Amino acid sequence: MTQARLMDGTALARRTVEETARKAAALTERTGSAPCLATVLVGEDPASVTYVRMKQNRCRKAGIESRHVALPSATTTAELVGVLRELSADPGVHGILLQHPVGDHIDERAAFEAIAPEKDVDGVTFASFATMSFGLPGFVSCTPGGIVRLLDEYGVDPSGKRAVVVGRSAILGKPVGMLLLARDATVTYCHSRTRDLSAAVREADIVVAAVGRPRLIRGQDIKPGAVVVDAGYNPGNVGDVDFDSAVERASLITPVPGGVGPMTIATLLEQTVEAAARQLGA
Ligand code: NAP
C-alpha cells in the first residue's frame, strides 16, 4: 500500500483567508464599515491569551477589525453574560468569540447563549448547533466547519460512508458528527465509555479523532484506504492519531500541525465577514 496523501490545511487556510480578505475589503468599500470581531477572554490562561492574540493578528491581516474585552478571572456568570449581551446589541460588532475555557465557576452554557445567533461566528450557541444539525444556513463550529472544508477540498464525499468520530465535545466531536450526518454519512460517535474503540475505528471509511489523547488511534486499526482527520493537538505538536503507522494505511490524512488547526481560524474569519455582510445588508 502506498502512503496516504496529506490534506494540507495550511495551504487551504491561506487561500481561504486570502479570499476572506478580498471580501472584507469589498465590504468595507461598499458600506464604509469594516467587519469587526469582538474577542472576550476571562482570566489569563497563557494558552488562551496566545490563541486570542493569534486570532486578532489574523483578523488584522485580513482587514477585519477586532475589539478585545479582557475580564479578570473572578468575573461572575452574570457579569460575563452582561458583557456578551452588550456586544450582541452593539451595531459596531459583527461577530463575537468567547475564548474557551472560561473557568469552572462560570456557567459556560449561559455565557454562550448570551451571544446573539447572528453574531455567533464561532458556532457555539444552541441555535447554531440546531442549524448545523439540520444542514440549514447558519454559523458552524469553526473546527468542524474547517474539517468539512478540508474533506471537500480533497474530494471526499461523506455520503453513504461510515464515519467514526472519536470524541463528543460540544465544540468539536458532536458538531463534526452532525455536519457529516447532514452530508449523509453513517455516523458513529465514540467516547470515553466506548467498549471497543479499535473495533469501531476498523469499520470507518472516515475517522475523525477529536480526543486530546496523544496517538490514541493506531495505524493497525485504520481500514486500508480510509480518510483520517486528526483534530487532536497535544503537547509536543502530537495528534490523537499515530501518524507514522496511520499514514501507511490511509488514503488521505491530515498532518499535525498543518492539518485541521489552520482551518479553524480561517473558518472564524470567513464567518465574521459573512456575519458583517448580513448585518450591514450588503
Ligand atoms: P474534550 O472536551 O476534552 O473532549 C474529549 C472527548 O474525547 C470527550 O468526548 C471524551 O469522552 C473523549 N475521550 C477521552 N478519552 C477517550 C478515550 N480514551 N477513548 C475515546 N474517547 C475518549 O476535548 P475537545 O475540546 O473536543 O478537544 C479534543 C482535541 O482536539 C484536543 O487535543 C484539542 O486540543 C483539539 N482541538 C483542536 C482544535 C483545532 O483548532 N485544531 C480545536 C479544538 C480542539 P467523554 O465525553 O466520555 O468524556
Side-chain angles (χ1 to χ4, degrees), residues 143 167-169 171-172 191-192 210-213 216 231-234 261 264:
T143 306
R168 56 172 168 179
S169 72
I171 57 149
L172 183 45
H191 45 76
S192 66
V211 195
R213 299 275 183 281
L216 177 76
Y233 192 66
N234 305 292
T264 300

Side-chain angles (χ1 to χ4, degrees), residues 5-282:
R5 216 176 134 207
L6 294 187
M7 289 190 270
D8 186 347
T10 304
L12 178 58
R14 192 183 314 115
R15 288 198 297 279
T16 307
V17 173
E18 281 166 7
E19 178 61 20
T20 297
R22 274 194 290 277
K23 285 185 182 162
L27 185 65
T28 306
E29 170 85 28
R30 265 201 316 279
T31 65
S33 309
C36 176
L37 174 72
T39 53
V40 180
L41 177 65
V42 182
E44 286 164 11
D45 170 57
S48 296
V49 170
T50 306
Y51 286 140
V52 167
R53 198 170 301 137
M54 205 156 71
K55 287 165 188 170
Q56 290 168 328
N57 287 342
R58 298 288 164 77
C59 276
R60 197 167 33 251
K61 286 188 187 147
I64 298 170
E65 283 177 4
S66 53
R67 191 187 297 182
H68 184 55
V69 183
L71 298 170
S73 48
T75 303
T76 63
T77 299
E79 286 164 346
L80 179 58
V81 163
V83 166
L84 292 164
R85 288 208 176 121
E86 266 176 40
L87 293 170
S88 291
D90 184 336
V93 168
H94 306 111
I96 300 172
L97 172 114
L98 171 60
Q99 183 63 40
H100 165 91
V102 288
D104 290 345
H105 65 293
I106 289 179
D107 179 347
E108 189 173 64
R109 179 45 52 193
F112 283 154
E113 294 309 311
I115 298 172
E118 66 273 18
K119 297 189 181 183
D120 180 22
V121 292
D122 202 25
V124 294
T125 60
F126 282 147
S128 295
F129 191 77
T131 50
M132 233 180 317
S133 304
F134 284 87
L136 295 171
F139 296 118
V140 297
S141 307
C142 290
T143 306
I147 289 172
V148 170
R149 285 290 296 276
L150 263 176
L151 294 177
D152 283 347
E153 178 72 10
Y154 284 86
V156 180
D157 178 5
S159 179
K161 305 241 167 63
R162 198 172 271 272
V164 170
V165 179
V166 190
R168 56 172 168 179
S169 72
I171 57 149
L172 183 45
K174 273 200 189 98
V176 81
M178 296 315 289
L179 289 176
L180 291 168
L181 179 63
R183 284 163 176 252
D184 300 323
T186 302
V187 180
T188 301
Y189 284 99
C190 299
H191 45 76
S192 66
R193 308 289 176 90
T194 297
R195 289 231 171 97
D196 191 346
L197 179 63
S198 296
V201 172
R202 280 199 291 268
E203 296 291 310
D205 302 307
I206 301 171
V207 182
V208 180
V211 195
R213 299 275 183 281
R215 301 193 184 97
L216 177 76
I217 313 290
R218 295 161 306 168
Q220 67 201 60
D221 293 332
I222 302 294
K223 183 160 121 180
V227 174
V228 177
V229 177
D230 189 354
Y233 192 66
N234 305 292
N237 279 347
V238 174
D240 289 344
V241 174
D242 179 42
F243 183 86
D244 291 347
S245 57
V247 75
E248 301 292 339
R249 289 172 67 105
S251 58
L252 283 165
I253 189 167
T254 55
V256 177
V260 172
M263 290 306 298
T264 300
I265 295 189
T267 305
L268 176 73
L269 302 188
E270 192 178 39
Q271 295 198 130
T272 300
V273 174
E274 177 63 35
R278 286 185 207 164
Q279 286 159 52
L280 294 166

